Amino acid sequence: MSTPTTHNVAVIGGDGIGPEVLSEALKVLSAAGVTLETTYFELGAAHYLRTGEVLADATLEELRGFDAILLGAVGPPVGSTEVPPGLLERGLLLRMRFELDLYVNLRPFVGLAGAPAPDCDFVVIRENTEGTYAGEGGFLRRNTPFEVATQGSVNTRMGVERCVRFAFELALSRERHHLTLVHKTNVLTFSGDLWQRVVDEVAREYPGVTRDYNHVDAACIYMVERPDRYDVIVTDNLFGDILTDLAGAVAGGIGFAASANLNPARTGPSLFEPVHGAAHDIAGTGTANPVAAVRSAALMLEHLGEVDAAERVSKAVTAYLSEQPSQSSGSHVSSTVAVGDAIAERL
């Protein structure tokens, strides 16, 4: 009998409900029989307020040595002024994406009973390291009546193509073999043109994948009215950020939405996190929904090669949710711990 593989995972609980939901996710992984060697890192708003550090260079270098990173949530309470706006987003989340080359953001959505789109089943592939989030721009004559602020969108051929290729490969592996590019090519005539040309060229290598194009504003309508038209969506960083929040709401709630920040080349660890935020208003009440964290952990297992365990965790989540239709409305009939226990028991 072969010895189970031990995976070295960095765990960043973060702020608010982050540590609570990750605790349940790790409980479920243990029940699935996966062997993890976990190392905990204190990062987030509380860490910044305590130490003045967002992400030290030495910590980032240490993170590079892990097989994967599991993140709960980071951020200060809503309305807090102690942490400057954008500091954690740029200094922690985006820095890890850029430095670790996590260029694919994968977010799957499967509708829940009672959701606006209970039958939806699609995946959004968001380019994760370029676009408007790359930081190109600046100010002229700041704090004067003639101030000018610019915010550019950086799109490289390499960055777009590797993301598009990943999306085509994913579409080929799914039952419907369909890919939709979402952009705004009629207005963003430079970046949109690059995205469209890359999709057209790569598509020749995937004759088994059908494809479509939607302007992003139209996609917002279709996602609400006809989400069944989507299988795999590929889009840029900003549009993907917005669309996946809408998709979470359509599929049953942001508390169920998982994400994977992937380095498909595996030159470093990939990062897995629920889409929701720190939700300080319910932290410590035992009412946080851990399902998104569990689903994110299942994506981590799949990436680590634990395909059977990942599938069993996903099926356990589905079985649990099928017995809890009120969950899709955002109400929680069970405590955070009880939900984790119930999913673990199904394994």
Side-chain angles (χ1 to χ4, degrees), residues 187-324:
V187 175
L188 304 179
T189 52
F190 302 117
S191 61
D193 183 74
L194 174 59
W195 275 86
Q196 185 66 71
R197 281 187 287 113
V198 170
V199 168
D200 291 345
E201 292 168 20
V202 174
R204 299 186 191 118
E205 302 174 32
Y206 295 87
V209 176
T210 59
R211 59 193 174 95
D212 197 1
Y213 169 81
N214 291 158
H215 290 322
V216 65
D217 44 347
C220 290
I221 297 172
Y222 299 148
M223 193 167 284
V224 173
E225 295 183 347
R226 283 283 315 281
D228 59 306
R229 69 185 292 155
Y230 294 121
D231 182 23
V232 174
I233 293 173
V234 64
T235 189
D236 83 344
N237 210 337
L238 178 59
F239 295 149
D241 194 359
I242 296 168
L243 278 175
T244 51
D245 278 2
L246 175 60
V250 167
I254 207 72
F256 300 92
S259 76
N261 298 271
L262 299 175
N263 176 337
R266 298 179 185 266
T267 58
S270 293
L271 184 150
F272 304 83
E273 60 177 326
V275 174
H276 63 68
H280 286 269
D281 56 324
I282 59 171
T285 66
T287 59
N289 183 356
V291 169
V294 174
R295 282 177 160 171
S296 299
L299 293 175
M300 181 181 75
L301 292 186
E302 184 175 359
H303 181 74
L304 292 173
E306 301 282 357
V307 178
D308 176 67
E311 185 176 351
R312 288 189 290 112
V313 170
S314 296
K315 287 182 177 179
V317 171
T318 300
Y320 168 75
L321 291 176
S322 68
E323 299 165 11
Q324 306 290 330

Side-chain angles (χ1 to χ4, degrees), residues 128-149:
N128 212 28
T129 60
E130 296 188 345
T132 52
Y133 291 15
E136 193 277 331
F139 294 99
L140 294 174
R141 300 183 290 275
R142 188 174 183 180
N143 295 323
T144 76
F146 308 101
E147 181 171 357
V148 177

Side-chain angles (χ1 to χ4, degrees), residues 15-54:
D15 303 305
I17 64 171
E20 301 172 43
V21 296
L22 280 202
S23 177
E24 299 312 306
L26 291 169
K27 175 197 297 179
V28 170
L29 297 194
S30 178
V34 179
T35 305
L36 301 180
E37 184 71 34
T38 54
T39 302
Y40 289 79
F41 289 82
E42 297 293 332
L43 295 171
H47 174 76
Y48 168 74
L49 292 174
R50 186 171 61 253
T51 67
E53 289 183 342
V54 178

